[in-house]
């Protein structure tokens, strides 16, 4: 029996039932004791509610350096000079505006909050993606004076009209990415381009505190239970430990920790070196980049890097809205019956955490398993990333997803923002989620609305 055939009787039975009984105790507290109940445009920018006064002071320092622009070296502002030589943005908040999501650019617009990872077939000495020669592993569309920017990223969209089983029409926009005016010679043969939108960064410390054993217990790479879901753990290089480690962060779970994710973004996005990644972001052959002035060694000192990491670790998760509304409860039942919860695991319990005590021993509801899943050819980028294949993506957390429009003024989702609504995001699912997608397409309008009401409550 196919996965879709198995789902349809469950959905038919669900349609005949009365609205489910009340919510699970505590599920409105998405981040446990860290949860903040705020539905304003600042909903993603608040500190964990269980922080001490001293920790809040450090949070404020991290917040400041997350939001301030870096400048070209040498400068009198020595604590934040060293931008570039090439870069995507001047501050963390340029892409993570109000700690939220980036969006896809319109026709001819500059990329802000969306970057292009680059590669060619093969892997490096650590098992990671192989850089695209002189263009490196990430396109840098900006540069300081005297250094050439690498090129201009562009995207065009093609509409793909279709309809639900009940006849209601919809359309999906399929993106095509290109690089205009490459400044460093021809782009390499076999170039792989992987777009990555800046995600919401709430709750990262909580995700880091989920015990590794719990995540690995959910992995089923060979689909031994035959349910069509074969989540895989990524094993990535930990630069601070000098050894492989479970990947948790990034669109392909290619980062093992909030520290490495943050230091990697400072180098890759801003061109700012740290004690974690000390070399300038100048791929071999970029001579003017290599000759540019620096802002010291490293350009962000450990005390400030640690403050930004603390900030990222302790951004509070907003609590649920309308979690006990009958329509939301019907949508929650649909979410489970459709198989969405098989990957978007609702509930986890964190373990002890000395570095981020706020995250320790919490019951949380992030709706992710942090594992890799084959999402089918339509979403594939063709670029491997450690153990992640070109078809695989990490299950993104869904907490806070219903507040993106309030915080960031748009409803664009998925790894590149191609989906213009939550429903479009569902309809792009393929691979392991194909049966769930087809079951959604078979739902009548009212039941689709129930499912969306549940997602908006997260």
């Amino acid at each position: 029996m196919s996965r879709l055939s198995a789902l349809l009787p469950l959905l038919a039975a669900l349609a005949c039932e009365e609205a489910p009984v009340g919510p699970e105790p505590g599920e409105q507290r998405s981040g446990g004791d860290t949860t903040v109940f705020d539905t304003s445009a600042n909903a993603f920018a608040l500190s964990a509610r269980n922080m001490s006064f001293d920790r809040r002071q450090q949070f404020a320092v991290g917040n400041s350096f997350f939001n301030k622009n870096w400048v070209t070296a040498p400068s009198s502002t020595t604590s934040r000079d060293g931008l570039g030589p090439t870069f995507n943005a001047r501050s963390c908040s340029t892409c993570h505006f109000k700690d939220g999501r980036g969006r896809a650019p319109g026709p001819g617009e500059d990329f802000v909050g969306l970057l292009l990872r680059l590669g060619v077939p093969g892997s490096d000495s650590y098992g990671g993606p192989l850089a695209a020669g002189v263009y490196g592993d990430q396109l840098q569309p900006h540069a300081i004076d005297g250094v050439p920017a690498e090129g201009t990223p562009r995207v065009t969209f093609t509409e793909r009209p279709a309809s639900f089983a009940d006849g209601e029409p919809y359309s999906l926009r399929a993106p095509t990415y290109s690089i205009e005016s490459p400044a460093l010679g021809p782009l390499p043969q076999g170039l792989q381009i992987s777009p990555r939108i800046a995600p919401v960064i709430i709750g990262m410390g909580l995700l880091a505190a989920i015990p590794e054993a719990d995540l690995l217990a959910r992995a089923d790479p060979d689909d031994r239970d035959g349910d069509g879901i074969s989540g895989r753990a990524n094993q990535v290089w930990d630069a601070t430990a000098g050894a492989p480690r479970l990947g948790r962060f990034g669109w392909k779970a290619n980062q093992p920790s909030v520290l490495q994710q943050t230091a990697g973004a400072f180098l890759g996005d801003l061109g700012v070196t740290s004690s974690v990644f000390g070399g300038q972001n100048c791929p071999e052959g970029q001579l003017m980049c290599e000759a540019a002035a620096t802002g010291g060694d490293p350009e962000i000192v450990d005390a400030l890097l640690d403050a930004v990491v603390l900030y990222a670790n302790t951004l509070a998760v907003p609590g649920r809205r309308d979690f006990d509304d009958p329509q939301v409860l019907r949508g929650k039942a649909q979410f489970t019956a459709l198989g969405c919860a098989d990957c978007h695991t609702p509930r986890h319990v964190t373990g002890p955490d000395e570095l981020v005590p706020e995250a320790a021993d919490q019951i949380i509801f992030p709706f992710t398993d942090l594992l890799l899943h084959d999402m089918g050819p339509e979403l594939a980028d063709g670029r491997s990333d450690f153990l992640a294949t070109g078809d695989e993506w990490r299950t993104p957390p869904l907490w806070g997803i219903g507040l993106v429009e309030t915080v960031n003024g748009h409803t664009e989702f998925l790894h590149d923002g191609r989906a213009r609504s939550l429903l479009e995001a569902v309809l792009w699912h393929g691979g392991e989620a194909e049966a769930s997608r087809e079951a959604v397409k078979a739902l009548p309008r009212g039941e689709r609305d129930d499912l969306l009401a549940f997602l908006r409550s997260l």
Side-chain angles (χ1 to χ4, degrees):
M1 179 183 292
S2 71
R3 182 171 171 80
L4 178 57
S5 299
L7 287 174
L8 292 178
L10 292 174
L11 294 171
L14 181 63
C16 298
E17 294 178 356
E18 296 181 358
V21 294
E24 180 178 346
E27 70 173 288
Q28 73 274 23
R29 301 172 72 250
S30 301
D33 292 341
T34 74
T35 306
V36 60
F37 289 92
D38 190 293
T39 58
S40 73
N42 292 317
F44 297 155
L46 303 173
S47 63
R49 297 298 88 181
N50 57 349
M51 290 185 80
S52 67
F53 176 80
D54 289 342
R55 297 270 288 175
R56 287 182 193 274
Q57 297 300 104
Q58 293 177 277
F59 178 92
V61 174
N63 178 41
S64 174
F65 272 82
F66 189 89
N67 287 288
K68 284 184 178 178
N69 284 346
W70 285 72
V71 298
T72 304
S75 169
S76 59
T77 55
T78 56
S79 61
R80 54 186 177 89
D81 70 344
L83 177 71
T86 58
F87 57 95
N88 275 261
R90 294 178 180 271
S91 72
C92 305
S93 63
T94 299
C95 300
H96 300 280
F97 183 61
K98 294 187 176 180
D99 305 292
R101 280 185 65 91
R103 54 173 288 272
E109 288 184 351
D110 290 338
F111 279 39
V112 178
L114 175 63
L115 58 81
L116 298 184
R117 292 282 171 85
L118 306 178
V120 293
S123 56
D124 65 16
S125 59
Y126 297 108
L130 193 60
V134 71
Y135 288 93
D137 62 2
Q138 182 172 310
L139 184 71
Q140 305 292 345
H142 306 292
I144 64 175
D145 290 344
V147 177
E150 294 178 349
T152 302
R154 294 295 184 207
V155 61
T156 58
F157 293 99
T158 302
E159 292 291 336
R160 295 183 180 177
S163 60
F164 294 100
D166 61 11
E168 182 177 336
Y170 66 85
S171 184
L172 302 179
R173 60 174 187 174
T176 300
Y177 293 91
S178 61
I179 299 172
E180 293 182 353
S181 306
L184 306 170
L187 297 169
Q189 292 293 318
L191 178 67
Q192 301 164 336
I193 297 177
S194 181
R196 308 285 177 90
I197 208 84
V200 177
I201 58 172
I202 55 175
M204 294 179 72
L206 294 167
L207 298 177
I210 299 172
E212 180 174 321
D214 291 356
L215 298 176
L216 294 177
R218 296 179 182 277
D220 185 16
D222 300 317
D223 192 22
R224 292 183 178 179
D225 61 8
D227 67 352
I229 303 298
S230 52
R232 299 198 309 130
N234 204 353
Q235 292 291 329
V236 306
W237 186 253
D238 186 324
T240 57
R245 187 176 168 193
L246 177 70
R248 297 175 187 248
F249 301 102
W251 285 104
K252 293 216 172 200
N254 67 342
Q255 295 291 354
S257 66
V258 178
L259 170 61
Q260 187 161 311
Q261 172 77 24
T262 304
F266 266 113
L267 184 64
D269 301 345
L270 280 69
V272 173
T273 63
S274 66
S275 60
V276 179
F277 297 113
Q280 290 292 325
N281 188 23
C282 297
E284 186 176 356
Q286 290 198 27
L287 301 182
M288 286 183 281
C289 178
E290 294 172 354
T294 72
D297 184 20
E299 290 166 329
I300 182 169
V301 299
D302 282 349
L304 294 179
L305 176 63
D306 290 346
V308 177
V309 171
L310 181 145
Y311 175 75
N313 266 320
T314 55
L315 280 166
V317 178
R320 294 275 303 281
R321 289 84 49 215
D322 304 320
F323 65 96
D324 55 357
D325 179 88
Q327 184 183 31
V328 169
L329 292 172
R330 291 195 302 271
K332 178 184 175 183
Q334 290 280 7
F335 186 84
T336 300
L338 288 162
C340 306
D342 293 344
C343 302
H344 290 282
T345 307
R347 182 182 183 275
H348 291 273
V349 180
T350 66
D353 194 322
E354 294 181 1
L355 293 177
V356 189
E358 298 84 0
D361 305 314
Q362 300 295 318
I363 298 173
I364 61 174
F365 296 84
F367 292 86
T368 178
D369 58 9
L370 297 181
L371 298 175
L372 299 169
H373 294 275
D374 180 351
M375 295 302 294
E378 294 291 345
L379 291 180
D381 66 351
R383 180 178 182 268
S384 61
D385 206 332
F386 294 97
L387 299 185
T389 69
D391 296 328
E392 290 179 319
W393 300 93
R394 183 197 71 157
T395 306
L398 298 183
W399 52 14
I401 201 167
L403 289 170
V404 168
E405 184 173 13
T406 298
V407 174
N408 295 123
H410 67 80
T411 56
E412 296 187 358
F413 299 102
L414 297 181
H415 66 277
D416 57 1
R418 70 176 67 188
R420 293 163 293 194
S421 67
L422 289 170
L423 185 55
E424 283 191 23
V426 172
L427 295 171
W428 272 110
H429 281 51
E432 296 174 38
E434 181 178 358
S436 297
R437 179 198 68 205
E438 293 302 302
V440 169
K441 290 167 66 174
L443 293 175
R445 172 65 181 272
E447 292 175 25
R448 295 198 302 269
D449 288 346
D450 292 344
L451 176 64
L452 294 175
F454 168 69
L455 292 176
R456 286 192 291 267
S457 79
L458 297 179

